[in-house]
Amino acid sequence: MNEKDVVKAIEEMLAIYPQLWSTHNIEGLLLCFDDDCIYEDRTLGVLKKGKKGVEEFAREVFAMQPDFHIDYHDFFATPTRGAAAWTIATTWNGEFHGVDCTGKKVTFSGVTMFEFKGGKIIRNVDCWDIASLLLQLEVLPQNLRKLK
């Protein structure tokens, strides 16, 4: 496959990737990843290795956010790297930093950086706006709530 075809295949995968997350299609998500992948959420300090780690992370997300929905605003890819800007809208289920946040609807944005190998995701790194989430969940300390 030439470079142009590789990029096209990766872009097609990235076009359906948020839909796989939004429909909780773990099996489909795992098809996007290389066996030796790394999934990292830098904001939460999460690092998962291999497809088993991706599956574990996805199950945790779906348990905590049962109506999890992600939309990509934009994305790009090269044969070895890519990125996507996104927004997540969801209802929180359970605690966040010791505060019961069940039933709170939240929306927050972020960016994912990708590394690809053989047309599959070898590394997925999420970085997102935790301050916005903390404000919406009302777990931000009182003296910081006035900051916007």
Side-chain angles (χ1 to χ4, degrees):
M1 207 183 302
N2 66 38
E3 188 172 295
K4 188 175 178 180
D5 291 338
V6 170
V7 169
K8 183 179 179 196
I10 292 171
E11 287 177 340
E12 288 172 357
M13 176 183 64
L14 291 180
I16 65 164
Y17 190 66
Q19 181 184 5
L20 296 171
W21 276 102
S22 296
T23 59
H24 301 200
N25 185 342
I26 293 174
E27 196 173 298
L29 280 171
L30 295 179
L31 292 174
C32 298
F33 285 86
D34 184 85
D35 290 339
D36 297 321
C37 63
I38 293 175
Y39 194 103
E40 185 176 1
D41 183 320
R42 286 200 179 154
T43 304
L44 294 179
V46 172
L47 181 68
K48 301 289 186 176
K49 295 183 178 181
K51 287 185 175 184
K52 186 173 179 127
V54 173
E55 180 177 0
E56 182 180 288
F57 181 76
R59 289 192 189 285
E60 291 168 1
V61 167
F62 300 148
M64 184 71 66
Q65 302 168 47
D67 61 348
F68 179 94
H69 183 84
I70 184 169
D71 284 314
Y72 277 8
H73 307 291
D74 197 11
F75 65 88
F76 79 93
T78 73
T80 58
R81 296 191 183 272
W86 46 260
T87 298
I88 290 172
T90 189
T91 305
W92 208 266
N93 181 26
E95 289 190 0
F96 190 87
H97 291 281
V99 177
D100 184 10
C101 298
T102 300
K104 292 192 178 181
K105 294 194 178 298
V106 295
T107 302
F108 55 97
S109 297
V111 174
T112 299
M113 295 165 286
F114 298 101
E115 291 179 26
F116 305 110
K117 177 181 163 189
K120 302 251 183 191
I121 300 167
I122 189 76
R123 186 176 189 94
N124 181 116
V125 180
D126 294 333
C127 301
W128 50 275
D129 180 9
I130 195 167
S132 172
L133 179 65
L134 295 174
L135 279 168
Q136 294 172 71
L137 292 177
E138 298 175 342
V139 295
L140 195 62
Q142 187 66 34
N143 63 333
L144 297 177
R145 290 184 188 172
K146 296 175 187 171
L147 301 175
K148 293 186 182 193

